[in-house]
Amino acid sequence: MKYRKLIILTMYICYVVSSLDAIAQDASAGGAEDRSIVAPIARNILEPGATQSQVRAYCEAKIPSIPRFETVLEWEAYSADIRRRMLDDVVLRGAAKGWSEARCRVERIGTIPGGAGYKIHKLRYEAIPGFWIPALLYEPDKLEGEVPVVLNVNGHEPAGKAAPYKQIRCVNQAKRGMIALNVEWIDMGQLHVPGNEHDRLVAVDLCGTSGIAIYYLAIERAIDILLSHPHADRERVAMTGLSGGGWQSIFAGGLDPRIKLCNPVAGYSSFKTRVRVAADLGDFEQTPCDMATVADYTHLTALRAPRPTLLTFNIRDDCCFRADHALQPLLDAATPIFRLYGKQADLRSHVNQDPGTHNFDRDNREALYQMFGEYFFSGQPFDSSEIFCEPELKTKNELAVALPDDNKTLKAIATDLARDLPRVRPNLGVEAKVAAIRSIVRSTAFQVEGERVRIDEQEGERCESWRLKLGAWTIPAVVIDPKNAFETAVVVADAGRGSSSKIIRELLDGGRRVVAVDPLNFGESRYLDHGYLYNLLLTTIGERPLGLEASELAATARWARSRESGLKVTIEAIGPRASLVALVAAAIEPKAIASVHLTGSLKSLKEIVHRDFKYEDYPELYCFGLLESFDVGDLIELVHLIGVKTR
């Protein structure tokens, strides 16, 4: 243990001293320009949009489809396995399993008058211990026997549970004799507080616990509350919501058999649709890590069979999930499964024309009421026309539910998880640690096929532009050869290779051959738009941006070494992102990489949790489970032990 601490301390001193203030300087790491090399280094090598095209094709090929089934028994065996794997392998990983088994509290705060025929109970409940959700229970004044219950969730609606269209829906349910639960969503309404931003989910992932679990358990506890009501009919349980609420409805509606009727509104599409329609890429919770290794949203739709399901979309949706591209692939995938049960008529769709934009307004609400009448009140008089209730709507303040002052946030949850990480495993040998890091980042041993596309000669220096083809990926590299080079330096910088002219000049003047490369997400290999969403797509199909980038960098080092046999290869990494990628590359490829020089490295991965690093700017840092086993110091120690020098 003393030896381990000494190694880490020594390595820290070496690279921290050399990288003071480097994060702030990263964007201008080149300093004064050396014009003899700036132009050829910075000139584009890839075709415009190449990276975006590659990631689309790569992800699309890996998104699963539903096989063909001949019998209900075949389907039910398959669907049971999908549900189990979604929960075990995607949702309830790490601490989330304990959260799901914890005893969470429900507290009634008080009751306020509703309108004619119903009252509103204020309550709060724990989604996980210490994370309280405010909610409103709309209860009819007269209750006899068992009645339908409905969970009403909301999406990215700043007004949250007080949104008028949501209140109207809940009031109409109560006036029809149903019990309606109106719950707040994370970062909306009362939960719109610093630390609850949806991108905080990936900080939980970093710690080896599924951030998506918090969202899922918030829904599950709400269903528990509804079913605990003495008048709840377990055979008449419904869930509905708009946008992010539509996503919640299909996510839980597919996985939880207790939800008998489901109406997601403008809330989701297949991952295969999203690959091609950027507006549908969705938010962090809608693209959970590793979900598409198990199921697509077509599967979740089919998992609804044979329970009544209404898919509502809008014809001119100005947000996302427009009817003309989102709906049909879902129906095509799920209808054969409903048909197995002889229940194809129970998979319904409704396309809103007026107003046709992103809404859950009267036309969409009445389509839902019609489903209630047909499936929950069959044989009884039921009018699906909306009951006018606007004068009964409450203000945000009237609907506010008191929350504890110390209510947790997503950031606080991630901070708590990170506190005791990484877990020390003293008996784990070097080879086992290397295997562990390869597994965590999902590394790949790429074979490189180099294509030289251009040669520039300036002031006696030869600058070659290359496209390096690594399986499905192509990345750009520039090779500059001085005379009598004694070493090869592979340069990777957070701001891209064009930002590093000063460092490259110093390396050339010092007798080093330079290979300046832009792996995925760096420089020219960045996406044109929606970059962080494409990175989420990669994680949902089971890849890790960190692993892809490190594998590309390792392959570049092997290629550089093979071209100049005998020359050692060092990695010059500039910035916190490049430094982490370089450390991982050195850990998975020690034969080709002799040393790494880190400029601007993080001291600890915990910094990205505490300092609120945005995922869109630092996607590879949020690698699922990395901090659970390795921090920066552990990686430095590991590469040192396998013979790679660091400075």
Side-chain angles (χ1 to χ4, degrees):
M1 184 61 71
K2 290 181 180 179
Y3 176 64
R4 179 177 183 272
K5 290 181 178 179
L6 181 60
I7 291 174
I8 294 174
L9 178 60
T10 303
M11 294 305 103
Y12 275 159
I13 292 172
C14 290
Y15 81 82
V16 171
V17 169
S18 69
S19 63
L20 291 175
D21 301 321
I23 294 177
Q25 297 169 1
D26 176 62
S28 58
E33 289 186 349
D34 179 349
R35 298 190 182 279
S36 67
I37 61 172
V38 168
I41 289 175
R43 190 176 298 142
N44 282 354
I45 298 172
L46 303 179
E47 295 294 330
T51 302
Q52 211 135 323
S53 296
Q54 291 168 28
V55 75
R56 283 172 172 166
Y58 188 80
C59 291
E60 192 168 28
K62 290 183 175 287
I63 295 165
S65 298
I66 301 175
R68 180 171 178 163
F69 295 93
E70 299 296 335
T71 68
V72 168
L73 285 177
E74 289 176 350
W75 162 252
E76 289 189 342
Y78 175 83
S79 62
D81 184 60
I82 291 291
R83 282 195 179 93
R84 178 191 60 76
R85 291 171 58 205
M86 277 289 293
L87 292 174
D88 292 348
D89 301 341
V90 178
V91 179
L92 300 179
R93 289 182 286 183
K97 183 66 173 176
W99 294 340
S100 71
E101 297 168 351
R103 185 180 181 87
C104 289
R105 294 169 288 178
V106 180
E107 296 179 354
R108 290 183 175 267
I109 305 302
T111 302
I112 61 174
Y118 70 97
K119 63 181 72 71
I120 302 173
H121 300 290
K122 294 184 176 183
L123 54 90
R124 65 191 185 200
Y125 68 95
E126 289 179 304
I128 69 172
F131 190 84
W132 291 87
I133 307 288
L136 305 166
L137 187 73
Y138 292 70
E139 184 183 69
D141 289 336
K142 296 181 180 179
L143 284 172
E144 295 181 2
E146 295 181 338
V147 302
V149 296
V150 186
L151 176 58
N152 294 273
V153 290
N154 57 277
H156 298 86
E157 167 57 63
K161 66 184 184 302
Y165 68 83
K166 194 180 186 195
Q167 290 192 59
I168 292 170
R169 195 167 77 238
C170 294
V171 171
N172 265 262
Q173 292 163 17
K175 285 179 177 289
R176 287 176 164 84
M178 310 169 77
I179 298 170
L181 185 61
N182 177 353
V183 298
E184 202 73 282
W185 199 31
I186 298 168
D187 201 33
M188 302 297 144
Q190 284 187 255
L191 294 179
H192 179 59
V193 296
N196 268 345
E197 300 84 0
H198 284 198
D199 60 358
R200 306 283 186 175
L201 175 155
V202 291
V204 179
D205 284 353
L206 173 66
C207 299
T209 291
S210 296
I212 189 63
I214 303 166
Y215 293 77
Y216 180 73
L217 291 174
I219 299 168
E220 291 297 283
R221 308 297 192 200
I223 296 290
D224 292 343
I225 291 169
L226 279 170
L227 292 179
S228 70
H229 195 286
H231 289 280
D233 185 345
R234 302 186 74 88
E235 297 305 313
R236 290 186 289 174
V237 180
M239 183 174 178
T240 187
L242 168 67
S243 194
W247 165 77
Q248 293 173 80
S249 297
I250 196 61
F251 196 80
L255 296 178
D256 189 340
R258 298 179 299 176
I259 301 168
K260 305 303 182 183
L261 188 154
C262 187
N263 175 215
V265 178
Y268 76 108
S269 62
S270 164
F271 281 131
K272 292 185 178 181
T273 301
R274 297 177 191 203
V275 165
R276 299 295 170 181
V277 182
D280 282 12
L281 283 170
D283 213 336
F284 291 83
E285 68 282 352
Q286 297 175 27
T287 316
C289 184
D290 294 334
M291 173 178 162
T293 65
V294 178
D296 183 20
Y297 282 99
T298 52
H299 294 72
L300 293 186
T301 309
L303 286 174
R304 290 288 312 149
R307 297 165 292 164
T309 303
L310 175 62
L311 308 182
T312 298
F313 290 90
N314 303 306
I315 194 66
R316 292 180 299 278
D317 204 303
D318 48 352
C319 164
C320 42
F321 312 122
R322 205 174 63 215
D324 60 350
H325 64 253
L327 175 58
Q328 197 59 48
L330 301 173
L331 293 175
D332 290 345
T335 297
I337 306 304
F338 277 80
R339 188 178 293 122
L340 284 177
Y341 290 92
K343 294 286 188 178
Q344 56 265 39
D346 290 347
L347 176 61
R348 308 280 182 88
S349 63
H350 175 72
V351 177
N352 171 252
Q353 306 284 337
D354 181 17
T357 53
H358 199 63
N359 78 93
F360 203 162
D361 292 341
R362 180 167 181 162
D363 174 63
N364 284 335
R365 293 195 295 266
E366 288 185 342
L368 171 62
Y369 305 153
Q370 186 174 346
M371 290 286 285
F372 288 152
E374 185 170 347
Y375 290 98
F376 285 178
F377 297 93
S378 178
Q380 303 177 42
F382 191 92
D383 184 356
S384 60
S385 300
E386 187 157 88
I387 302 168
F388 178 72
C389 61
E390 275 80 351
E392 300 174 19
L393 303 188
K394 313 299 181 187
T395 66
K396 180 175 69 174
N397 288 338
E398 288 176 311
L399 295 177
V401 176
L403 293 173
D405 292 338
D406 61 349
N407 196 24
K408 286 189 176 180
T409 62
L410 297 183
K411 180 179 180 179
I413 293 166
T415 301
D416 288 347
L417 290 170
R419 185 170 292 115
D420 296 325
L421 298 179
R423 294 190 176 91
V424 177
R425 293 182 288 180
N427 297 324
L428 201 61
V430 172
E431 290 185 4
K433 288 180 179 179
V434 171
I437 192 65
R438 285 176 173 158
S439 175
I440 290 168
V441 304
R442 313 280 173 92
S443 64
T444 301
F446 287 122
Q447 298 299 313
V448 182
E449 180 184 341
E451 177 192 4
R452 189 168 57 194
V453 297
R454 189 170 53 245
I455 298 175
D456 292 286
E457 297 276 0
Q458 291 198 20
E459 299 182 13
E461 290 182 327
R462 179 184 176 90
C463 183
E464 299 178 349
S465 297
W466 289 79
R467 290 178 185 149
L468 304 184
K469 298 180 180 180
L470 307 95
W473 307 95
T474 300
I475 61 174
V478 173
V479 180
I480 308 174
D481 276 307
K483 293 181 179 179
N484 302 318
F486 73 92
E487 186 177 85
T488 296
V490 176
V491 178
V492 58
D494 282 14
R497 67 183 191 276
S499 70
S500 309
S501 60
K502 183 174 182 291
I503 287 176
I504 290 173
R505 170 49 60 201
E506 292 172 353
L507 292 167
L508 292 171
D509 291 345
R512 291 176 175 85
R513 173 173 168 263
V514 170
V515 179
V517 64
D518 284 335
L520 182 67
N521 288 308
F522 288 81
E524 193 183 351
S525 296
R526 292 178 70 90
Y527 306 107
L528 294 177
D529 55 28
H530 297 88
Y532 77 97
L533 296 173
Y534 284 111
N535 282 314
L536 290 175
L537 263 182
L538 285 170
T539 64
T540 204
I541 64 167
E543 297 290 353
R544 302 292 183 261
L546 176 59
L548 283 171
E549 295 160 13
S551 297
E552 290 175 349
L553 188 59
T556 301
R558 289 196 301 273
W559 175 78
R561 184 176 174 84
S562 68
R563 291 187 74 237
E564 292 291 340
S565 180
L567 290 189
K568 293 191 302 182
V569 175
T570 186
I571 303 293
E572 292 281 342
I574 306 160
R577 298 172 53 227
S579 294
L580 183 62
V581 172
L583 282 171
V584 173
I588 64 176
E589 186 49 69
K591 291 182 180 179
I593 299 172
S595 63
V596 291
H597 180 200
L598 310 177
T599 301
S601 175
L602 295 173
K603 296 178 181 178
S604 169
L605 290 170
K606 296 178 184 181
E607 292 181 55
I608 69 177
V609 177
H610 300 149
R611 294 169 54 190
D612 305 333
F613 281 39
K614 292 289 185 184
Y615 178 86
E616 59 194 86
D617 298 323
Y618 302 90
E620 55 284 298
L621 301 190
Y622 289 97
C623 180
F624 191 100
L626 180 59
L627 182 56
E628 186 177 21
S629 297
F630 296 95
D631 205 344
V632 175
D634 302 288
L635 292 172
I636 291 173
E637 177 191 12
L638 177 58
V639 299
H640 179 80
L641 290 174
I642 60 180
V644 179
K645 297 178 181 179
T646 58
R647 56 189 177 94

